[in-house]
Amino acid sequence: MRSFASDNNSSVHPKVIEAISNANKGHAVGYGDDPWTEEATEIVKKQFKNACDALFVFNGTGSNTMAMQLMTRPYHIIFCAETGHIAVDECGAPSKGTGCFMRTIPTTDGKLTPELLKPYMTNFGIEHHSQPGAIYISQCTELGTIYKPDEIKALCDFAHSHGMLVHMDGARICNAAAALGLSLDDISGACGVDSLTLGGTKNGLMGAECVVLFNKELMKEARYARKQSCQLASKMRYLSCQFTAFLKDDLWLECATNANRLAKKLYKELTKMPDVRFTQIMESNQLFLIMPKEKEMKLREKYFFYYWNEQQGEMRLVTSWDSTDDDIDGLIEYLKQI
């Protein structure tokens, strides 16, 4: 069964498998003191114009928790969209790891704005109230939408003017950069974010993410936070070498471009069906839509997908780096048969 449920369900790119195999030779010092990690760290840093630090971790939840631990104290508030991954899909790990209150903000498109945050900028310096501490955003958002550079800059300027820091969860930042025709830096570090999860798992890696820190103050204690978040790999070379393959020769862009291209193709074909209604604009590799219930049920017999809002019958289809034209053609043909 081919899956449109999540890009987490995709396979690992052969070049990444090859990189892991090449690293699997002889002995190497553990915990990142090895040539593979040194090489990968430098390659990550070269993606960004401003000075930064790069720390490889196992997964997105760990990377977000680690970053939020660095940014906050337990008396802080973390602001995020009500659809934010840290509020919905991480089993409270960031809240437990930081002790912070999670303030979720309703949005129509998954994106925060200064205007949405302004009403919550209260009670500064009053000891009876949790203090605004950090803002979490996703790129792409959980609704498949994409923050443009000016939107990110506005958020960062707003946050910093109120003494807050900004973390970007870039689990799908590659899809966002590919869609906008911009570099990874153009939609993250260059816009003023303090930390970034540079995602790889959803775009062809076996299971590796990288926390990129742009704020010098956060760099001081980052390695302690990574260890305490259970994200320090003993055999680090098997994580870090994946990023060398990922970033070298723009493999990340090739993978993300294919996922986005096929999402556009799927979107174009589905818009031709009068009984299909899209609930979000299509900007990346995620599609949100509603079709007749009986049609959805028949589709589930052959294709795996998730319901985003089961009460409304809203489903999510996600294309991946290894999705093919045949996958799209097959799904569309099956829907026509239904």
Side-chain angles (χ1 to χ4, degrees):
M1 178 183 286
R2 295 296 283 179
S3 173
F4 288 91
S6 172
D7 31 16
N8 281 327
N9 294 2
S10 63
S11 60
V12 179
H13 196 283
K15 289 184 178 180
V16 175
I17 295 291
E18 181 182 8
I20 295 172
S21 179
N22 289 337
N24 192 37
K25 297 174 182 176
H27 288 201
V29 178
Y31 301 104
D33 192 13
D34 61 78
W36 292 274
T37 302
E38 181 180 357
E39 179 185 19
T41 300
E42 291 306 310
I43 289 177
V44 171
K45 289 181 178 180
K46 286 179 181 178
Q47 306 301 310
F48 305 96
K49 296 176 183 177
N50 296 326
C52 61
D53 199 3
L55 290 85
F56 302 103
V57 298
F58 292 110
N59 54 51
T61 298
S63 66
N64 291 331
T65 301
M66 170 189 161
M68 303 315 297
Q69 277 184 318
L70 286 169
M71 290 185 170
T72 60
R73 298 289 298 276
Y75 51 78
H76 278 139
I77 302 170
I78 298 173
F79 297 97
C80 68
E82 65 179 355
T83 52
H85 205 268
I86 60 170
V88 178
D89 291 310
E90 296 185 346
C91 198
S95 296
K96 181 180 180 182
T98 61
C100 292
F101 173 66
M102 198 74 65
R103 168 67 72 183
T104 59
I105 299 176
T107 72
T108 58
D109 58 2
K111 296 197 286 188
L112 293 178
T113 66
E115 288 68 33
L116 289 173
L117 288 161
K118 281 177 184 177
Y120 302 96
M121 297 298 105
T122 59
N123 298 317
F124 284 95
I126 300 177
E127 63 188 278
H128 304 288
H129 300 276
S130 296
Q131 298 293 293
I135 297 173
Y136 164 97
I137 60 176
S138 301
Q139 181 75 304
C140 307
T141 73
E142 284 73 22
L143 297 181
T145 52
I146 297 174
Y147 281 98
K148 312 306 186 292
D150 60 333
E151 295 172 323
I152 305 169
K153 290 175 183 176
L155 266 177
C156 291
D157 289 344
F158 177 83
H160 296 155
S161 69
H162 287 84
M164 298 186 292
L165 300 178
V166 179
H167 172 62
M168 175 182 283
D169 179 348
R172 294 188 177 96
I173 190 174
C174 297
N175 299 93
L180 295 174
L182 298 173
S183 71
L184 297 170
D185 189 37
D186 289 336
I187 53 173
S188 60
C191 298
V193 301
D194 297 282
S195 66
L196 163 72
T197 295
L198 177 55
T201 305
K202 288 180 168 63
N203 198 31
L205 300 195
M206 181 175 286
E209 314 287 306
C210 182
V211 177
V212 184
L213 302 170
F214 303 100
N215 187 313
K216 292 182 179 179
E217 291 301 310
L218 299 181
M219 298 179 192
K220 296 177 181 179
E221 299 178 354
R223 281 158 176 77
Y224 306 118
R226 177 171 63 175
K227 180 68 174 182
Q228 198 172 62
S229 300
C230 307
Q231 291 294 310
L232 178 61
S234 54
K235 295 187 177 181
M236 181 69 74
R237 56 177 158 158
Y238 299 105
L239 295 185
S240 55
C241 73
Q242 297 182 53
F243 273 92
T244 299
F246 190 51
L247 298 172
K248 194 174 181 180
D249 300 325
D250 288 340
L251 179 62
W252 68 270
L253 181 58
E254 174 188 326
C255 291
T257 298
N258 184 65
N260 290 358
R261 177 184 69 84
L262 291 170
K264 284 183 179 179
K265 178 177 179 177
L266 181 57
Y267 174 79
K268 182 179 179 180
E269 293 300 320
L270 288 172
T271 55
K272 298 175 183 178
M273 299 181 177
D275 57 356
V276 172
R277 178 172 64 87
F278 282 86
T279 56
Q280 291 292 331
I281 59 173
M282 202 289 296
E283 291 189 322
S284 57
N285 66 322
Q286 302 175 74
L287 286 72
F288 294 82
L289 60 140
I290 295 173
M291 63 177 67
K293 184 68 174 180
E294 61 274 14
K295 200 168 184 176
E296 291 181 347
M297 297 306 294
K298 288 291 292 183
L299 187 63
R300 286 183 73 90
E301 293 178 8
K302 189 170 182 180
Y303 291 95
F304 183 33
F305 63 87
Y306 286 128
Y307 281 107
W308 186 255
N309 186 324
E310 194 157 4
Q311 288 183 332
Q312 296 179 2
E314 182 185 27
M315 54 193 287
R316 184 188 74 166
L317 301 176
V318 185
T319 53
S320 305
W321 78 267
D322 62 351
S323 295
T324 66
D325 285 283
D326 287 344
D327 290 335
I328 306 303
D329 294 340
L331 185 146
I332 294 299
E333 183 58 34
Y334 186 64
L335 281 175
K336 288 179 179 178
Q337 292 173 12
I338 294 173

